[in-house]
Amino acid sequence: MEWTIHQVARATGTTSRTLRHYAHIGLLAPSRVGAGGYRYYDDAALRRYQRILLLRDLGLGLAAIAGVLEERTDEVAALRAHADSLEEESARLARLARAVRETVRRTEQGEELDVTTSFEGFDASRYEDEVVQRWGRDAHERAQRTWRELGEEGRAAHGAEADAIGRGLAAAAARGADPGEREVQDLLRRHHAWVSEFWTPGAEAYRGLTAMYVDDERFRATYEAYGPGTAVLLRDAAEVFAQRELG
């Protein structure tokens, strides 16, 4: 028996776009491709996909999952390495949260910022190579210039807005909100505006960016720190937002 790509997407709560991406990177190929490029999945493909989902739930990124499935990487070793990276990211986020709270406190009390404590957890260069590779050197330099021009209060406000969006999405995910509902889409409108402080993505670029929040374990860990399902809800809601608002 075979299932169509749409049947698999509906049954597993994902999207056809994600399944096509998994095929593109060699993680999950359809059992066959029919007339007109239509994709079908047999029992063996579904069993492989079930294992992929299990490993995703355990927190592994796509590259690590591929290694495990091809038996290039020991599963326990991969999970241990991922746990280490999560602990490092958790510590960084804790420092970042302390810095933002301290900035809020100083701003409310009319105090000057302390440069020794106000930028703990920030690392403006950590994704430089990746940004340059994906969007070009000009995009990275514009983002860096915008970050500097925001000033201390602007950067604090930018971080506070990201935190508010993350908390709102986590609460929505916890109650099982539909990605298309008004409250979730209002949060996505804020998220797109937040991203647009540095770069205004169109529909496809926004879909690609938010897909990274799930597919890249570093970004996934950042959003999942707010609560389980936050990154997935953001990605799925971004798909709806892109269709409705970005064309």
Side-chain angles (χ1 to χ4, degrees):
M1 185 174 179
E2 293 180 319
W3 291 265
T4 68
I5 189 171
H6 295 303
Q7 288 174 320
V8 175
R10 283 197 300 270
T12 59
T14 188
T15 65
S16 298
R17 187 173 184 273
T18 296
L19 291 171
R20 288 193 294 270
H21 175 64
Y22 286 177
H24 177 71
I25 64 176
L27 189 62
L28 178 67
S31 52
R32 71 181 178 92
V33 179
Y38 217 69
R39 298 161 188 253
Y40 295 86
Y41 297 80
D42 61 11
D43 184 71
L46 291 185
R47 289 176 184 274
R48 182 179 175 92
Y49 189 35
Q50 185 182 62
R51 193 170 182 208
I52 290 170
L53 293 179
L54 172 62
L55 293 171
R56 286 313 309 255
D57 284 345
L58 292 174
L60 290 189
L62 297 184
I65 291 172
V68 169
L69 293 179
E70 300 305 321
E71 298 183 349
R72 297 193 305 268
T73 305
D74 176 78
E75 190 165 341
V76 173
L79 288 171
R80 184 178 292 115
H82 180 67
D84 290 342
S85 68
L86 286 177
E87 288 173 357
E88 291 175 3
E89 181 66 9
S90 177
R92 188 189 72 83
L93 289 173
R95 294 195 303 273
L96 183 59
R98 287 196 299 270
V100 172
R101 291 194 191 100
E102 177 64 9
T103 296
V104 170
R105 185 191 69 77
R106 287 176 177 270
T107 301
E108 288 177 340
Q109 296 184 10
E111 299 178 9
E112 293 184 353
L113 294 187
D114 180 356
V115 73
T116 64
T117 60
S118 296
F119 297 96
E120 286 189 273
F122 288 98
D123 184 355
S125 64
R126 63 200 302 250
Y127 299 124
E128 178 177 352
D129 291 343
E130 200 163 342
V131 170
V132 171
Q133 181 180 6
R134 288 177 180 272
W135 295 295
R137 173 64 62 181
D138 287 346
H140 177 263
E141 291 179 353
R142 284 198 305 271
Q144 292 290 90
R145 185 167 58 253
T146 300
W147 182 250
R148 291 192 298 268
E149 291 172 352
L150 280 176
E152 294 173 351
E153 291 187 9
R155 288 191 286 266
H158 186 76
E161 175 67 354
D163 187 61
I165 293 169
R167 291 179 186 278
L169 287 169
R175 61 179 173 79
D178 185 276
E181 72 174 51
R182 181 175 179 178
E183 181 179 334
V184 175
Q185 286 301 300
D186 285 345
L187 288 167
L188 263 291
R189 189 169 291 104
R190 289 171 61 184
H191 181 266
H192 187 265
W194 178 79
V195 171
S196 297
E197 286 195 56
F198 299 92
W199 161 62
T200 304
E204 282 306 307
Y206 192 52
R207 289 187 181 101
L209 175 67
T210 52
M212 286 176 60
Y213 296 160
V214 175
D215 295 337
D216 188 305
E217 62 184 74
R218 298 163 302 171
F219 295 105
R220 185 184 180 103
T222 297
Y223 280 95
E224 293 298 285
Y226 288 102
T230 304
V232 172
L233 179 59
L234 175 54
R235 178 202 62 192
D236 293 347
E239 176 70 29
V240 177
F241 181 82
Q243 290 176 356
R244 290 179 181 176
E245 306 289 339
L246 303 179

